[in-house]
Amino acid sequence: MKICILSRNKELYSTARLLDSAEKRGHEVLVVDPLRCYMNITSHKPSIHFKGEPLEGYSAIIPRIGASITFYGTAVVRQFEMMGVYSVNESVAISRSRDKLRSLQLLARRGIGLPVTGFSHATMYTQDLIDLAGGAPLVIKLLEGTQGIGVVLAETNNAAESVIEAFRGLKQNILVQEFIKEADAKDIRCFVVGGKVVAAMMRTGKEGDFRSNIHRGGKAEGVKITPEERSTAVRAAQIMGLNVAGVDILRANHGPVVMEVNSSPGLEGIEKATGKNVADSVIAFIEKNAQPGRTKTRGKG
Ligand code: ADP
């Protein structure tokens, strides 16, 4: 079949692996930078153009939309959906997952375990916010942070108060979260494809850091997850409406808690840590499911 990978650069590890796997399985694949697509918006015959030509005859797209291009990227995905092209992750699900607060609210509503979390933008009632999240020790996060930047551990209520006040001065949305000490600077990334965890790795923070981000010098290895962790990851992906998702979990005393659900999870860390062929799982899923008009939301919303 003809598959289009929406990605800014075909040299990126994840993109290159998906391309290679799809080609090896006999598909015709084109990598398209979504920012270079342009489109018409008509009710009769929506189309997408790239480098002067229409993108036609595709059975499926694989969106790899980075956080910084969510707005335009999801519009391109939506246009494909309007043309009846199957998208492995639908545009609405990608947009939903990019909104961390909305995601946490959706997961909480469906009973997924989460760290006790407060959020605020500009309250002066700092102590009340701290109480709402259960008191120190607390993890305070900038909502827009990535790779562990803007994630601070406040061991005492006084420290928490100072950090919250400093962040308030920056006019940022913040999360104030129960510190899962027993997670011991480790988190688990479950890679979910089509309702199954196809690979799982444990990331461990570098000595002295409670954050397990690889970019901060953490390390990763394959891990055997519990049935409860497995079902939590699968349910979290399903609630977000994502066929392909990276679900980040902390091991808390009271069971697995979800930190984040990622709609464009990277393949490099997980394939190298587990030796699993995750790219193949994604392509196999598409082979089973890509049919014209299979997009549930039909580009709505
Ligand atoms: P980012 O999205 O910037 O990576 P995260 O929210 O994932 O930020 O936090 C970075 C790391 O900090 C996590 O991978 C985890 O190891 C650690 N961490 C985050 N929140 C908590 C928490 N509530 N309790 C314990 N550790 C946490």
Side-chain angles (χ1 to χ4, degrees):
M1 69 175 84
K2 266 176 81 170
I3 299 176
C4 177
I5 302 177
L6 291 176
S7 166
R8 298 227 55 204
N9 184 348
K10 65 173 169 216
E11 310 297 329
L12 296 171
Y13 180 96
S14 304
T15 306
R17 287 282 303 120
L18 289 163
L19 174 64
D20 182 57
S21 164
E23 281 181 344
K24 282 202 177 116
R25 296 173 73 102
H27 304 296
E28 185 186 329
V29 192
L30 183 69
V31 178
V32 166
D33 178 354
L35 292 187
R36 290 179 192 271
C37 292
Y38 48 100
M39 304 162 267
N40 65 351
I41 297 186
T42 72
S43 54
H44 302 300
K45 202 174 177 297
S47 66
I48 303 178
H49 283 234
F50 177 67
K51 293 187 175 166
E53 302 283 342
L55 292 172
E56 279 173 349
Y58 286 90
S59 302
I61 59 167
I62 306 177
R64 301 282 316 169
I65 307 294
S68 61
I69 63 156
T70 302
F71 181 72
Y72 196 79
T74 51
V76 176
V77 175
R78 200 154 46 238
Q79 186 86 351
F80 273 108
E81 290 165 355
M82 286 162 65
M83 292 160 59
V85 179
Y86 177 80
S87 178
V88 69
N89 277 339
E90 295 185 9
S91 56
V92 274
I94 299 170
S95 307
R96 189 187 286 138
S97 74
R98 287 291 152 79
D99 182 338
K100 260 197 198 177
L101 296 184
R102 185 175 174 198
S103 302
L104 291 175
Q105 288 169 322
L106 280 170
L107 295 170
R109 200 171 71 191
R110 300 286 298 276
I112 295 286
L114 301 171
V116 177
T117 303
F119 57 85
S120 87
H121 181 79
T123 181
M124 303 291 278
Y125 293 86
T126 312
Q127 194 51 55
D128 197 32
L129 176 62
I130 290 172
D131 292 343
L132 208 60
L138 288 169
V139 176
I140 301 159
K141 307 181 184 185
L142 290 177
L143 198 66
E144 304 299 333
T146 54
Q147 299 176 359
I149 295 165
V151 179
V152 181
L153 172 61
E155 312 233 20
T156 64
N157 281 349
N158 275 345
E161 208 165 321
S162 306
V163 175
I164 292 169
E165 279 165 12
F167 281 172
R168 183 169 66 229
L170 301 174
K171 299 198 171 17
Q172 291 283 328
N173 299 315
I174 59 168
L175 291 180
V176 180
Q177 203 162 63
E178 163 195 13
F179 175 49
I180 311 293
K181 186 170 194 299
E182 62 273 22
D184 195 23
K186 297 177 172 59
D187 77 347
I188 295 173
R189 157 63 60 94
C190 297
F191 202 108
V192 179
V193 179
K196 291 198 181 81
V197 177
V198 297
M201 66 175 166
M202 178 177 272
R203 295 176 292 206
T204 305
K206 73 163 189 263
E207 189 65 36
D209 197 333
F210 78 100
R211 297 163 298 180
S212 58
N213 303 73
I214 311 276
H215 289 99
R216 311 200 56 80
K219 63 174 176 26
E221 59 200 346
V223 65
K224 193 166 157 35
I225 55 171
T226 66
E228 196 188 0
E229 286 161 355
R230 190 171 294 275
S231 69
T232 299
V234 167
R235 282 194 61 220
Q238 185 244 330
I239 291 164
M240 299 305 297
L242 294 167
N243 291 314
V244 172
V247 182
D248 293 341
I249 286 177
L250 295 177
R251 283 185 167 162
N253 286 336
H254 47 94
V257 292
V258 170
M259 256 187 328
E260 199 175 1
V261 183
N262 193 317
S263 59
S264 282
L267 269 60
E268 185 167 13
I270 195 116
E271 286 196 334
K272 289 186 174 162
T274 64
K276 298 252 169 77
N277 191 335
V278 174
D280 245 16
S281 305
V282 174
I283 306 300
F285 175 80
I286 292 172
E287 287 165 0
K288 257 205 201 140
N289 290 279
Q291 278 163 28
R294 194 78 192 262
T295 300
K296 287 199 200 79
T297 48
R298 282 307 217 132
K300 286 197 270 299

